[in-house]
PDB file of all heavy atoms in Angstrom:
ATOM      1  N   ASP A  89     -65.472-145.510  48.741  1.00  0.00           N
ATOM      2  CA  ASP A  89     -66.234-144.572  47.865  1.00  0.00           C
ATOM      3  C   ASP A  89     -66.706-145.283  46.601  1.00  0.00           C
ATOM      4  O   ASP A  89     -67.344-144.563  45.709  1.00  0.00           O
ATOM      5  CB  ASP A  89     -65.431-143.256  47.546  1.00  0.00           C
ATOM      6  CG  ASP A  89     -64.220-143.542  46.717  1.00  0.00           C
ATOM      7  OD1 ASP A  89     -63.848-144.656  46.455  1.00  0.00           O
ATOM      8  OD2 ASP A  89     -63.610-142.497  46.257  1.00  0.00           O
ATOM      9  N   ASP A  90     -66.428-146.528  46.413  1.00  0.00           N
ATOM     10  CA  ASP A  90     -67.065-147.292  45.312  1.00  0.00           C
ATOM     11  C   ASP A  90     -68.419-147.801  45.707  1.00  0.00           C
ATOM     12  O   ASP A  90     -69.184-148.336  44.848  1.00  0.00           O
ATOM     13  CB  ASP A  90     -66.184-148.504  44.886  1.00  0.00           C
ATOM     14  CG  ASP A  90     -64.860-148.053  44.246  1.00  0.00           C
ATOM     15  OD1 ASP A  90     -64.882-147.081  43.456  1.00  0.00           O
ATOM     16  OD2 ASP A  90     -63.815-148.703  44.579  1.00  0.00           O
ATOM     17  N   ALA A  91     -68.814-147.694  46.939  1.00  0.00           N
ATOM     18  CA  ALA A  91     -70.111-148.098  47.385  1.00  0.00           C
ATOM     19  C   ALA A  91     -71.166-147.342  46.723  1.00  0.00           C
ATOM     20  O   ALA A  91     -71.216-146.091  46.779  1.00  0.00           O
ATOM     21  CB  ALA A  91     -70.188-147.934  48.922  1.00  0.00           C
ATOM     22  N   ALA A  92     -72.106-148.063  46.053  1.00  0.00           N
ATOM     23  CA  ALA A  92     -73.137-147.322  45.280  1.00  0.00           C
ATOM     24  C   ALA A  92     -74.102-148.357  44.666  1.00  0.00           C
ATOM     25  O   ALA A  92     -73.822-149.579  44.697  1.00  0.00           O
ATOM     26  CB  ALA A  92     -72.446-146.564  44.146  1.00  0.00           C
ATOM     27  N   PHE A  93     -75.179-147.862  44.125  1.00  0.00           N
ATOM     28  CA  PHE A  93     -76.038-148.661  43.232  1.00  0.00           C
ATOM     29  C   PHE A  93     -75.299-148.669  41.908  1.00  0.00           C
ATOM     30  O   PHE A  93     -74.938-147.558  41.390  1.00  0.00           O
ATOM     31  CB  PHE A  93     -77.397-148.116  43.122  1.00  0.00           C
ATOM     32  CG  PHE A  93     -78.272-148.380  44.288  1.00  0.00           C
ATOM     33  CD1 PHE A  93     -78.394-147.480  45.326  1.00  0.00           C
ATOM     34  CD2 PHE A  93     -78.968-149.579  44.445  1.00  0.00           C
ATOM     35  CE1 PHE A  93     -79.148-147.675  46.462  1.00  0.00           C
ATOM     36  CE2 PHE A  93     -79.742-149.805  45.568  1.00  0.00           C
ATOM     37  CZ  PHE A  93     -79.840-148.853  46.550  1.00  0.00           C
ATOM     38  N   TYR A  94     -75.168-149.777  41.264  1.00  0.00           N
ATOM     39  CA  TYR A  94     -74.613-149.833  39.955  1.00  0.00           C
ATOM     40  C   TYR A  94     -75.716-150.248  38.947  1.00  0.00           C
ATOM     41  O   TYR A  94     -76.396-151.313  39.079  1.00  0.00           O
ATOM     42  CB  TYR A  94     -73.482-150.880  39.837  1.00  0.00           C
ATOM     43  CG  TYR A  94     -72.165-150.321  40.565  1.00  0.00           C
ATOM     44  CD1 TYR A  94     -72.101-150.195  41.941  1.00  0.00           C
ATOM     45  CD2 TYR A  94     -71.120-149.884  39.746  1.00  0.00           C
ATOM     46  CE1 TYR A  94     -70.966-149.628  42.499  1.00  0.00           C
ATOM     47  CE2 TYR A  94     -70.023-149.328  40.303  1.00  0.00           C
ATOM     48  CZ  TYR A  94     -69.899-149.225  41.691  1.00  0.00           C
ATOM     49  OH  TYR A  94     -68.777-148.650  42.297  1.00  0.00           O
ATOM     50  N   TYR A  95     -75.888-149.420  37.961  1.00  0.00           N
ATOM     51  CA  TYR A  95     -76.930-149.643  36.896  1.00  0.00           C
ATOM     52  C   TYR A  95     -76.298-150.178  35.655  1.00  0.00           C
ATOM     53  O   TYR A  95     -75.338-149.600  35.137  1.00  0.00           O
ATOM     54  CB  TYR A  95     -77.703-148.370  36.695  1.00  0.00           C
ATOM     55  CG  TYR A  95     -78.589-147.842  37.798  1.00  0.00           C
ATOM     56  CD1 TYR A  95     -78.133-146.800  38.562  1.00  0.00           C
ATOM     57  CD2 TYR A  95     -79.798-148.397  38.035  1.00  0.00           C
ATOM     58  CE1 TYR A  95     -78.941-146.308  39.622  1.00  0.00           C
ATOM     59  CE2 TYR A  95     -80.607-147.951  39.026  1.00  0.00           C
ATOM     60  CZ  TYR A  95     -80.184-146.883  39.877  1.00  0.00           C
ATOM     61  OH  TYR A  95     -80.931-146.386  40.829  1.00  0.00           O
ATOM     62  N   CYS A  96     -76.911-151.210  35.039  1.00  0.00           N
ATOM     63  CA  CYS A  96     -76.646-151.624  33.681  1.00  0.00           C
ATOM     64  C   CYS A  96     -77.510-150.774  32.731  1.00  0.00           C
ATOM     65  O   CYS A  96     -78.715-150.681  32.988  1.00  0.00           O
ATOM     66  CB  CYS A  96     -76.960-153.088  33.640  1.00  0.00           C
ATOM     67  SG  CYS A  96     -76.885-153.838  31.960  1.00  0.00           S
ATOM     68  N   VAL A  97     -76.916-150.205  31.718  1.00  0.00           N
ATOM     69  CA  VAL A  97     -77.611-149.303  30.869  1.00  0.00           C
ATOM     70  C   VAL A  97     -77.366-149.653  29.422  1.00  0.00           C
ATOM     71  O   VAL A  97     -76.195-149.875  29.027  1.00  0.00           O
ATOM     72  CB  VAL A  97     -77.218-147.845  31.150  1.00  0.00           C
ATOM     73  CG1 VAL A  97     -78.076-146.912  30.375  1.00  0.00           C
ATOM     74  CG2 VAL A  97     -77.345-147.507  32.637  1.00  0.00           C
TER      75      VAL A  97
END
Side-chain angles (χ1 to χ4, degrees):
Chain A
D89 66 352
D90 292 320
F93 284 95
Y94 284 74
Y95 292 102
C96 170
V97 185

